[in-house]
Amino acid sequence: MNGLKRLEYRGYDSSGIATILSNKNSISIRKSPGKIRVLEGLLGKRPLSGTIGIAHSRWATHGAPNQANAHPHLDCKGEIAIVHNGIIENFARLKDELQKDGHKFTSQTDTEVIAHLIEKFYKNSSLEEAVRKALARLEGSFALGVISIREPDKLIGARLGSPLVIGRGKDENLLASDVPAVLDLTKEVIFLNENEMAVLTKDNCRIQDLNGRVVFRNTTRINWNVSQAEKQGYRHFMLKEINEQPAIVENLLKMRIEKDSDRIIFGGECLSEARLSKIKNIAIVACGTAYHAGLAGRYALESVCNIPVSVDVSSEFRYRNLLIDKDTLVIAISQSGETADTLAGVKEAKAHGASVLAICNVLGSTLTRESDNVIYTHAGPEIGVASTKAYIVQLLTLYLFALYLAQLKGTLPQKAIKKHLDELKGIPRKQREILKRQEKIAKLARRHSHFGSFLYLGRGVNFPSALEGALKLKEISYIPAEGYAAGEMKHGPIALIDEYRAVVCIACESRVYEKMISNIQEIRARRGKIIAIASSGDDKIGKEIKEVVYIPRCGELFSPLLAALPLQLIAYHIAVKRGCDVDQPRNLAKSVTVE
Ligand code: AGP
């Protein structure tokens, strides 16, 4: 239970524990929706005994966060218990096959399929052999813990795409998704690699690859304290989440684009094709960073779907005289799914007969239950109050949805769609290239941390990037920062420019690049201090200014997916330099559940 509590920061909506009762040679389970302390209460009333067990706190991806869907999950006979992190993409097909074999399921989760697959293969073979055969049938990602009453001294772990660590304790061995869970008991750990399995007993730890070949692995001594370990060594959750972005984008692209056909798939969560093809206009409603994602998404939707799109902040949308009806698709974007204004906007939309599609990161949140359909962003729990990875997956989901709609409505030839998809598949590599240079960006940020106010300028698809960059800076460093359409400079903001004002100009390659250069010259003429975000290979901007962050070239439409990273890092490093509480900035909450 202590180990479970150490992982609570990773998000939970339900939790559970199973042990093998040494005397009764059976598996006993306690599980419940809600916080881990609810499970603790359960155990207080009905304690468990036993010297071997598995426990899990769930961040729901398939199946609402309730008692039935909480882990651990059992096979039909209750002889095998498993816990799982990750997403099994082919679980529906496997579940169907197993049910035809007579297996009885008790949950809607993808995880439960694994318990029944192990049961299916566990005839006349060892537990590890049965697990290996089961894993060979899975597509997707997993970090697994498995126990069985038939071999009650064994704990099996296996991983593909989700982390798993072994704790080598004194007269005990442990398995966990992350180091904090074992640090109270041992600092000696082994990080399992992809496609590896561990067979643990009290005294022994055997590691093999998924073909059964034994692998020798050294232990690592952890010198972090628990709090550092929760951030995997990063100083703040925000910095960890910034650095998680390429992997999360990669994972989402794999989930959303069918490997061979390049077909975009949203699964059952999305509106029916019949319904979508009737849509005549789209209204996007969101707050804060989610609103900025909506603004950037509008460019994609309008350019590939030829459909009119409006974007409103929820607090305005909900009070306006809305001209929407059954031909309108309202897209509500929210990381938390609990933002009061966005929920109220959805209610208004439905009262006007519009269909509502939620783009959300928290399964089972209020927004997902009040919308007609949901597309989950699968960014994992975002702990830092300043949204980073959630923003990127909101953008990516909007781009993919725009291409999906274009495919459906035939507004873009498949060849053009494929070109866009290939462009998106290159994003994670390009994001990694930017993150490789984050120390350089940090130094540039620190050189500008003394400025008392900032202006962020962008045009076209990167006008929303300017708004988002300004929001990141103001909310964690408390420095006044304004995002503006660069073309608006002459209509007022240019009066602000002097040597005390820092101006961040997003000047990636685009149809309006020359216009951005003119803005930069106007600012230089008034001694404004400029930081530019520009495309690699741009040999012109360096002649204008020296503080430039170059990002890899990419199609204009998707450039916000790259421009966001330096903007996030600039805000982060300025806030750190100013000694601000980056993960929990003053006056802010992660989810604004009140008006
Ligand atoms: C973004 O960094 C802020 N934390 C805030 O603007 C946030 O985006 C906004 O409150 C919306 O939250 P939601 O996505 O959970 O609805």
Side-chain angles (χ1 to χ4, degrees):
M1 287 309 288
N2 285 335
L4 214 47
K5 276 191 268 186
R6 293 286 186 208
L7 297 180
E8 197 153 23
Y9 70 89
R10 289 162 61 97
Y12 54 80
D13 42 52
S14 54
S15 63
I17 183 168
T19 60
I20 295 180
L21 305 186
S22 25
N23 56 354
K24 280 201 270 166
N25 199 13
S26 66
I27 289 178
S28 228
I29 276 197
R30 303 282 184 274
K31 53 184 188 175
S32 86
K35 294 184 189 300
I36 289 168
R37 67 165 175 270
V38 177
L39 178 64
E40 262 190 319
L42 258 180
L43 285 167
K45 292 196 197 88
R46 298 174 55 223
L48 281 181
S49 65
T51 56
I52 183 166
I54 48 177
H56 184 270
S57 75
R58 183 168 180 246
W59 174 263
T61 55
H62 294 76
N66 58 30
Q67 167 92 17
N69 291 331
H71 301 202
H73 287 288
L74 299 172
D75 66 322
C76 299
K77 298 197 283 294
E79 291 184 346
I80 301 163
I82 73 156
V83 288
H84 163 241
N85 273 350
I87 291 173
I88 305 303
E89 288 154 21
N90 63 334
F91 90 95
R93 206 170 49 243
L94 292 170
K95 183 168 183 173
D96 191 35
E97 179 191 310
L98 288 158
Q99 282 174 319
K100 288 197 176 97
D101 274 357
H103 288 263
K104 297 277 176 276
F105 283 76
T106 58
S107 81
Q108 306 147 293
T109 65
D110 52 342
T111 299
E112 192 185 354
V113 158
I114 307 171
H116 293 278
L117 270 178
I118 295 171
E119 176 187 11
K120 173 187 167 111
F121 293 118
Y122 199 11
K123 298 180 173 69
N124 329 314
S125 71
S126 68
L127 183 57
E128 56 266 32
E129 193 51 40
V131 171
R132 223 191 335 274
K133 285 178 186 159
L135 297 184
R137 296 293 314 277
L138 303 183
E139 286 170 23
S141 59
F142 53 80
L144 276 188
V146 187
I147 55 175
S148 165
I149 57 170
R150 286 167 47 184
E151 297 174 73
D153 61 344
K154 247 181 216 174
L155 169 61
I156 308 263
R159 72 154 283 184
L160 175 64
S162 280
L164 204 54
V165 63
I166 298 161
R168 299 300 315 267
K170 191 175 167 324
D171 296 333
E172 63 183 356
N173 282 310
L174 305 126
L175 201 56
S177 309
D178 203 352
V179 167
V182 302
L183 270 189
D184 294 325
L185 297 167
T186 178
K187 289 187 175 295
E188 297 299 323
V189 300
I190 296 173
F191 293 97
L192 269 189
N193 285 338
E194 291 293 64
N195 281 307
E196 282 183 351
M197 171 192 279
V199 182
L200 304 180
T201 60
K202 184 170 80 70
D203 306 309
N204 193 14
C205 163
R206 188 160 34 89
I207 297 174
Q208 49 196 248
D209 66 19
L210 292 189
N211 301 316
R213 272 191 298 275
V214 175
V215 171
F216 180 74
R217 303 294 305 287
N218 287 318
T219 57
T220 304
R221 181 161 181 77
I222 296 293
N223 51 18
W224 294 333
N225 61 39
V226 173
S227 156
Q228 284 167 314
E230 286 177 352
K231 302 174 192 101
Q232 282 163 15
Y234 288 103
R235 189 167 167 192
H236 297 102
F237 279 111
M238 182 178 173
L239 187 59
K240 172 174 165 263
E241 287 153 7
I242 289 172
N243 281 279
E244 280 178 334
Q245 292 176 121
I248 286 169
V249 167
E250 217 154 46
N251 189 36
L252 198 54
L253 287 168
K254 267 194 218 141
M255 276 181 73
R256 296 285 182 229
I257 304 175
E258 209 157 57
K259 226 176 314 192
D260 319 324
S261 67
D262 260 348
R263 215 161 54 80
I264 298 162
I265 37 180
F266 286 117
E269 308 136 302
C270 196
L271 275 168
S272 72
E273 296 191 357
R275 184 79 199 79
L276 277 178
S277 44
K278 292 199 189 76
I279 293 295
K280 293 201 177 55
N281 59 77
I282 294 176
I284 297 177
V285 59
C287 298
T289 288
Y291 167 68
H292 299 152
L295 286 173
R298 170 170 62 183
Y299 288 91
L301 284 161
E302 287 182 339
S303 70
V304 304
C305 303
N306 302 326
I307 191 165
V309 180
S310 66
V311 189
D312 285 274
V313 289
S314 312
S315 50
E316 291 302 313
F317 181 85
R318 64 182 289 189
Y319 294 112
R320 236 182 49 208
N321 171 30
L322 296 172
L323 302 178
I324 62 174
D325 57 21
K326 62 176 180 34
D327 297 334
T328 306
L329 172 66
V330 168
I331 301 180
I333 310 172
S334 174
Q335 188 286 131
S336 63
E338 300 302 342
T339 299
D341 284 322
T342 304
L343 294 175
V346 162
K347 267 201 177 63
E348 279 305 307
K350 295 183 79 166
H352 284 72
S355 301
V356 178
L357 171 65
I359 293 181
C360 186
N361 195 40
V362 181
L363 195 136
S365 58
T366 306
L367 176 67
T368 65
R369 283 183 277 110
E370 297 194 355
S371 302
D372 299 310
N373 288 271
V374 187
I375 300 180
Y376 286 106
T377 52
H378 294 293
E382 185 175 66
I383 312 298
V385 164
S387 189
T388 50
K389 62 177 184 174
Y391 171 66
I392 290 294
V393 291
Q394 285 163 359
L395 276 180
L396 178 60
T397 300
L398 283 161
Y399 292 145
L400 288 168
F401 181 71
L403 293 170
Y404 175 81
L405 212 48
Q407 214 165 33
L408 195 66
K409 297 169 83 79
T411 49
L412 208 58
Q414 189 55 31
K415 209 154 99 300
I417 291 175
K418 176 160 175 31
K419 185 169 170 294
H420 281 310
L421 291 176
D422 291 343
E423 179 84 64
L424 286 174
K425 290 173 187 170
I427 292 293
R429 175 179 54 76
K430 294 176 179 179
Q431 290 180 329
R432 288 192 176 97
E433 268 179 51
I434 297 170
L435 294 173
K436 272 195 209 115
R437 300 200 302 273
Q438 59 185 294
E439 203 26 58
K440 204 160 166 278
I441 297 171
K443 288 196 180 90
L444 178 149
R446 289 193 281 267
R447 282 199 297 276
H448 295 79
S449 59
H450 61 285
F451 279 91
S453 66
F454 279 70
L455 187 60
Y456 284 71
L457 299 177
R459 285 175 179 261
V461 291
N462 282 305
F463 161 43
S465 303
L467 297 174
E468 175 57 13
L471 174 59
K472 287 286 90 58
L473 183 71
K474 75 180 80 159
E475 67 174 327
I476 61 175
S477 72
Y478 319 139
I479 300 172
E482 250 184 303
Y484 242 97
E488 275 291 289
M489 276 294 273
K490 290 191 180 57
H491 304 280
I494 199 158
L496 293 169
I497 305 302
D498 58 25
E499 64 272 34
Y500 306 108
R501 165 89 51 171
V503 187
V504 179
C505 296
I506 303 160
C508 318
E509 64 174 322
S510 75
R511 286 164 302 145
V512 285
Y513 171 77
E514 289 306 331
K515 306 283 179 215
M516 279 310 295
I517 293 295
S518 317
N519 286 124
I520 285 172
Q521 286 159 349
E522 288 162 10
I523 297 160
R524 279 188 64 207
R526 292 161 179 81
R527 298 194 308 285
K529 184 84 172 95
I530 300 171
I531 299 171
I533 313 285
S535 299
S536 310
D538 176 342
D539 52 9
K540 183 172 181 182
I541 203 158
K543 297 189 184 91
E544 299 287 341
I545 43 173
K546 62 181 198 325
E547 299 283 20
V548 185
V549 178
Y550 290 99
I551 61 175
R553 310 180 85 81
C554 94
E556 179 176 349
L557 199 55
F558 304 140
S559 58
L561 286 168
L562 299 180
L565 274 67
L567 297 172
Q568 294 164 353
L569 289 165
I570 287 168
Y572 171 79
H573 288 290
I574 288 179
V576 169
K577 180 89 167 67
R578 292 173 77 118
C580 298
D581 182 349
V582 169
D583 283 334
Q584 285 159 356
R586 68 185 183 195
N587 311 340
L588 290 175
K590 183 58 189 166
S591 172
V592 182
T593 55
V594 293
E595 264 200 79

